[in-house]
């Protein structure tokens, strides 16, 4: 019996901390995906079997704001990404993004606060 693995990707962090700094955007509206999630999953699996339903992509959904074309396009790209991932048996797990209400105070108690 071979070892099996499951691949879980935190979509928001993966996008902002890995793909975006490398200049890779998962999907463009008029083009195919720039990043091969299946090849990445296979790389991580390192010749181990990926369990059935073992590829999961977790992400907060982009909310559209009336009159905000940028958010509308971001939502359309996200939906296209979900459709592309679903074609190769990725499980899409979404949640609503929440607005934060806390405030962060930066004053002389913080080192180098003037530069910040």
């Amino acid at each position: 019996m071979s070892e099996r693995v499951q691949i879980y990707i935190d979509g928001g962090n993966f996008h902002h901390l890995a793909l975006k700094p490398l200049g890779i955007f998962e999907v463009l509206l008029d083009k195919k995906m720039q990043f091969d999630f299946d090849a990445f999953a296979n790389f991580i699996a390192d010749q181990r079997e990926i369990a059935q339903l073992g590829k999961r992509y977790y992400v907060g959904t982009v909310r559209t704001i009336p009159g905000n074309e940028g958010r509308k396009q971001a939502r359309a790209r996200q939906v296209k990404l979900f459709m592309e991932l679903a074609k190769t048996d990725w499980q899409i797990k979404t949640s609503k993004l929440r607005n934060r209400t806390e405030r962060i105070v930066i004053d002389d108690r913080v080192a180098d606060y003037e530069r910040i």
Side-chain angles (χ1 to χ4, degrees):
M1 180 178 202
S2 67
E3 187 177 2
R4 292 185 305 176
V5 297
Q6 293 185 331
I7 309 295
Y8 298 157
I9 293 179
D10 177 332
N13 283 325
F14 190 65
H15 172 80
H16 290 290
L17 300 174
L19 299 179
K20 193 173 181 180
L22 294 172
I24 299 170
F25 295 93
E26 298 97 340
V27 64
L28 300 174
L29 285 176
D30 57 347
K31 297 181 182 174
K32 56 188 286 187
M33 291 212 310
Q34 292 181 309
F35 185 78
D36 189 338
F37 283 89
D38 279 335
F40 181 66
N42 289 329
F43 171 77
I44 292 171
D46 193 27
Q47 300 183 355
R48 295 170 293 182
E49 178 186 354
I50 298 174
Q52 185 177 5
L53 303 178
K55 297 184 296 185
R56 295 185 186 174
Y57 186 86
Y58 292 86
V59 68
T61 54
V62 174
R63 292 184 193 178
T64 57
I65 297 173
N68 186 326
E69 190 62 30
R71 293 288 289 268
K72 184 178 175 182
Q73 287 181 4
R75 176 69 179 144
R77 282 192 306 273
Q78 189 177 58
V79 169
K80 186 173 179 185
L81 170 64
F82 295 164
M83 291 179 359
E84 292 296 319
L85 288 172
K87 287 179 186 177
T88 56
D89 298 323
W90 282 86
Q91 304 300 303
I92 310 300
K93 305 293 182 181
T94 62
S95 64
K96 291 182 180 178
L97 293 175
R98 296 181 185 95
N99 291 331
R100 292 186 172 195
T101 57
E102 71 268 10
R103 292 179 31 144
I104 298 172
V105 177
I106 299 176
D107 57 21
D108 61 357
R109 295 174 291 176
V110 177
D112 210 11
Y113 76 97
E114 288 126 347
R115 186 178 60 79
I116 296 173

mmCIF file of all heavy atoms in Angstrom, residues 11-32:
data_model
loop_
_atom_site.group_PDB
_atom_site.id
_atom_site.type_symbol
_atom_site.label_atom_id
_atom_site.label_comp_id
_atom_site.label_asym_id
_atom_site.label_seq_id
_atom_site.Cartn_x
_atom_site.Cartn_y
_atom_site.Cartn_z
ATOM 1 N N GLY A 11 -5.468 29.847 -0.379
ATOM 2 C CA GLY A 11 -5.390 30.638 -1.608
ATOM 3 C C GLY A 11 -4.934 32.075 -1.417
ATOM 4 O O GLY A 11 -4.124 32.576 -2.187
ATOM 5 N N GLY A 12 -5.441 32.740 -0.386
ATOM 6 C CA GLY A 12 -5.063 34.138 -0.164
ATOM 7 C C GLY A 12 -3.586 34.292 0.131
ATOM 8 O O GLY A 12 -2.891 35.100 -0.479
ATOM 9 N N ASN A 13 -3.094 33.521 1.082
ATOM 10 C CA ASN A 13 -1.676 33.594 1.414
ATOM 11 C C ASN A 13 -0.802 33.124 0.264
ATOM 12 O O ASN A 13 0.241 33.719 -0.020
ATOM 13 C CB ASN A 13 -1.371 32.772 2.671
ATOM 14 C CG ASN A 13 -1.798 33.486 3.930
ATOM 15 O OD1 ASN A 13 -1.715 34.700 4.023
ATOM 16 N ND2 ASN A 13 -2.272 32.729 4.896
ATOM 17 N N PHE A 14 -1.211 32.061 -0.423
ATOM 18 C CA PHE A 14 -0.424 31.554 -1.539
ATOM 19 C C PHE A 14 -0.309 32.608 -2.642
ATOM 20 O O PHE A 14 0.763 32.840 -3.196
ATOM 21 C CB PHE A 14 -1.059 30.270 -2.088
ATOM 22 C CG PHE A 14 -0.200 29.542 -3.075
ATOM 23 C CD1 PHE A 14 1.014 28.992 -2.697
ATOM 24 C CD2 PHE A 14 -0.612 29.393 -4.390
ATOM 25 C CE1 PHE A 14 1.803 28.315 -3.607
ATOM 26 C CE2 PHE A 14 0.169 28.716 -5.304
ATOM 27 C CZ PHE A 14 1.378 28.178 -4.914
ATOM 28 N N HIS A 15 -1.423 33.278 -2.927
ATOM 29 C CA HIS A 15 -1.414 34.331 -3.950
ATOM 30 C C HIS A 15 -0.509 35.488 -3.541
ATOM 31 O O HIS A 15 0.355 35.901 -4.303
ATOM 32 C CB HIS A 15 -2.836 34.832 -4.216
ATOM 33 C CG HIS A 15 -2.886 36.017 -5.105
ATOM 34 N ND1 HIS A 15 -2.780 35.917 -6.474
ATOM 35 C CD2 HIS A 15 -2.988 37.333 -4.838
ATOM 36 C CE1 HIS A 15 -2.829 37.133 -6.998
ATOM 37 N NE2 HIS A 15 -2.959 38.010 -6.026
ATOM 38 N N HIS A 16 -0.722 36.010 -2.322
ATOM 39 C CA HIS A 16 0.001 37.219 -1.898
ATOM 40 C C HIS A 16 1.455 36.974 -1.527
ATOM 41 O O HIS A 16 2.290 37.862 -1.698
ATOM 42 C CB HIS A 16 -0.733 37.897 -0.740
ATOM 43 C CG HIS A 16 -2.020 38.518 -1.164
ATOM 44 N ND1 HIS A 16 -2.084 39.632 -1.959
ATOM 45 C CD2 HIS A 16 -3.300 38.150 -0.927
ATOM 46 C CE1 HIS A 16 -3.344 39.947 -2.198
ATOM 47 N NE2 HIS A 16 -4.103 39.058 -1.587
ATOM 48 N N LEU A 17 1.783 35.796 -1.013
ATOM 49 C CA LEU A 17 3.143 35.538 -0.546
ATOM 50 C C LEU A 17 4.012 34.766 -1.529
ATOM 51 O O LEU A 17 5.237 34.767 -1.391
ATOM 52 C CB LEU A 17 3.104 34.793 0.794
ATOM 53 C CG LEU A 17 2.398 35.539 1.920
ATOM 54 C CD1 LEU A 17 2.290 34.655 3.156
ATOM 55 C CD2 LEU A 17 3.115 36.831 2.249
ATOM 56 N N ALA A 18 3.413 34.101 -2.499
ATOM 57 C CA ALA A 18 4.210 33.304 -3.441
ATOM 58 C C ALA A 18 3.997 33.744 -4.882
ATOM 59 O O ALA A 18 4.948 34.159 -5.551
ATOM 60 C CB ALA A 18 3.874 31.820 -3.288
ATOM 61 N N LEU A 19 2.779 33.675 -5.368
ATOM 62 C CA LEU A 19 2.548 33.936 -6.782
ATOM 63 C C LEU A 19 2.727 35.405 -7.163
ATOM 64 O O LEU A 19 3.415 35.718 -8.138
ATOM 65 C CB LEU A 19 1.148 33.456 -7.180
ATOM 66 C CG LEU A 19 0.891 31.959 -7.006
ATOM 67 C CD1 LEU A 19 -0.532 31.619 -7.404
ATOM 68 C CD2 LEU A 19 1.894 31.136 -7.795
ATOM 69 N N LYS A 20 2.118 36.289 -6.412
ATOM 70 C CA LYS A 20 2.187 37.721 -6.746
ATOM 71 C C LYS A 20 3.627 38.253 -6.744
ATOM 72 O O LYS A 20 4.027 38.929 -7.691
ATOM 73 C CB LYS A 20 1.292 38.523 -5.806
ATOM 74 C CG LYS A 20 1.054 39.935 -6.254
ATOM 75 C CD LYS A 20 0.011 40.616 -5.361
ATOM 76 C CE LYS A 20 -0.259 42.019 -5.824
ATOM 77 N NZ LYS A 20 -1.263 42.664 -4.960
ATOM 78 N N PRO A 21 4.448 37.948 -5.717
ATOM 79 C CA PRO A 21 5.835 38.427 -5.756
ATOM 80 C C PRO A 21 6.626 37.878 -6.954
ATOM 81 O O PRO A 21 7.567 38.520 -7.420
ATOM 82 C CB PRO A 21 6.441 37.922 -4.447
ATOM 83 C CG PRO A 21 5.285 37.757 -3.532
ATOM 84 C CD PRO A 21 4.152 37.317 -4.415
ATOM 85 N N LEU A 22 6.232 36.715 -7.454
ATOM 86 C CA LEU A 22 6.917 36.144 -8.614
ATOM 87 C C LEU A 22 6.340 36.655 -9.933
ATOM 88 O O LEU A 22 6.786 36.264 -11.004
ATOM 89 C CB LEU A 22 6.817 34.612 -8.578
ATOM 90 C CG LEU A 22 7.558 33.942 -7.435
ATOM 91 C CD1 LEU A 22 7.223 32.459 -7.380
ATOM 92 C CD2 LEU A 22 9.060 34.152 -7.575
ATOM 93 N N GLY A 23 5.319 37.508 -9.845
ATOM 94 C CA GLY A 23 4.706 38.051 -11.057
ATOM 95 C C GLY A 23 3.779 37.057 -11.738
ATOM 96 O O GLY A 23 3.484 37.196 -12.916
ATOM 97 N N ILE A 24 3.308 36.076 -10.992
ATOM 98 C CA ILE A 24 2.411 35.064 -11.535
ATOM 99 C C ILE A 24 1.004 35.353 -11.022
ATOM 100 O O ILE A 24 0.794 35.494 -9.829
ATOM 101 C CB ILE A 24 2.820 33.644 -11.079
ATOM 102 C CG1 ILE A 24 4.218 33.314 -11.566
ATOM 103 C CG2 ILE A 24 1.809 32.607 -11.570
ATOM 104 C CD1 ILE A 24 4.792 32.048 -10.967
ATOM 105 N N PHE A 25 0.079 35.459 -11.927
ATOM 106 C CA PHE A 25 -1.316 35.605 -11.543
ATOM 107 C C PHE A 25 -2.014 34.331 -11.981
ATOM 108 O O PHE A 25 -1.848 33.877 -13.110
ATOM 109 C CB PHE A 25 -1.934 36.852 -12.173
ATOM 110 C CG PHE A 25 -1.294 38.100 -11.645
ATOM 111 C CD1 PHE A 25 -0.226 38.680 -12.295
ATOM 112 C CD2 PHE A 25 -1.725 38.656 -10.464
ATOM 113 C CE1 PHE A 25 0.395 39.807 -11.785
ATOM 114 C CE2 PHE A 25 -1.119 39.780 -9.940
ATOM 115 C CZ PHE A 25 -0.057 40.355 -10.604
ATOM 116 N N GLU A 26 -2.778 33.732 -11.074
ATOM 117 C CA GLU A 26 -3.344 32.408 -11.322
ATOM 118 C C GLU A 26 -4.076 32.344 -12.650
ATOM 119 O O GLU A 26 -3.903 31.439 -13.432
ATOM 120 C CB GLU A 26 -4.325 32.014 -10.218
ATOM 121 C CG GLU A 26 -3.723 31.909 -8.849
ATOM 122 C CD GLU A 26 -3.915 33.161 -8.032
ATOM 123 O OE1 GLU A 26 -4.180 34.249 -8.595
ATOM 124 O OE2 GLU A 26 -3.792 33.084 -6.808
ATOM 125 N N VAL A 27 -4.934 33.303 -12.896
ATOM 126 C CA VAL A 27 -5.769 33.232 -14.095
ATOM 127 C C VAL A 27 -6.051 34.658 -14.569
ATOM 128 O O VAL A 27 -6.221 35.580 -13.782
ATOM 129 C CB VAL A 27 -7.086 32.472 -13.787
ATOM 130 C CG1 VAL A 27 -7.927 33.197 -12.778
ATOM 131 C CG2 VAL A 27 -7.872 32.191 -15.041
ATOM 132 N N LEU A 28 -6.042 34.821 -15.867
ATOM 133 C CA LEU A 28 -6.408 36.087 -16.476
ATOM 134 C C LEU A 28 -7.725 35.867 -17.219
ATOM 135 O O LEU A 28 -7.987 34.772 -17.717
ATOM 136 C CB LEU A 28 -5.321 36.560 -17.435
ATOM 137 C CG LEU A 28 -3.948 36.776 -16.788
ATOM 138 C CD1 LEU A 28 -2.904 37.105 -17.850
ATOM 139 C CD2 LEU A 28 -4.007 37.889 -15.756
ATOM 140 N N LEU A 29 -8.553 36.889 -17.311
ATOM 141 C CA LEU A 29 -9.884 36.705 -17.873
ATOM 142 C C LEU A 29 -9.867 36.157 -19.297
ATOM 143 O O LEU A 29 -10.677 35.330 -19.660
ATOM 144 C CB LEU A 29 -10.653 38.030 -17.841
ATOM 145 C CG LEU A 29 -11.158 38.436 -16.468
ATOM 146 C CD1 LEU A 29 -11.813 39.792 -16.520
ATOM 147 C CD2 LEU A 29 -12.132 37.406 -15.923
ATOM 148 N N ASP A 30 -8.947 36.619 -20.113
ATOM 149 C CA ASP A 30 -8.963 36.230 -21.518
ATOM 150 C C ASP A 30 -7.905 35.186 -21.867
ATOM 151 O O ASP A 30 -7.671 34.904 -23.030
ATOM 152 C CB ASP A 30 -8.789 37.465 -22.393
ATOM 153 C CG ASP A 30 -7.522 38.239 -22.071
ATOM 154 O OD1 ASP A 30 -6.907 37.976 -21.020
ATOM 155 O OD2 ASP A 30 -7.140 39.108 -22.864
ATOM 156 N N LYS A 31 -7.252 34.610 -20.872
ATOM 157 C CA LYS A 31 -6.192 33.638 -21.122
ATOM 158 C C LYS A 31 -6.331 32.450 -20.191
ATOM 159 O O LYS A 31 -7.105 32.474 -19.246
ATOM 160 C CB LYS A 31 -4.816 34.287 -20.924
ATOM 161 C CG LYS A 31 -4.543 35.418 -21.897
ATOM 162 C CD LYS A 31 -3.180 36.007 -21.674
ATOM 163 C CE LYS A 31 -2.982 37.165 -22.642
ATOM 164 N NZ LYS A 31 -1.764 37.877 -22.396
ATOM 165 N N LYS A 32 -5.554 31.403 -20.444
ATOM 166 C CA LYS A 32 -5.586 30.238 -19.569
ATOM 167 C C LYS A 32 -4.739 30.493 -18.330
ATOM 168 O O LYS A 32 -4.026 31.488 -18.242
ATOM 169 C CB LYS A 32 -5.136 28.984 -20.311
ATOM 170 C CG LYS A 32 -3.774 29.075 -20.937
ATOM 171 C CD LYS A 32 -3.479 27.887 -21.809
ATOM 172 C CE LYS A 32 -3.188 26.695 -20.951
ATOM 173 N NZ LYS A 32 -2.745 25.529 -21.644
#
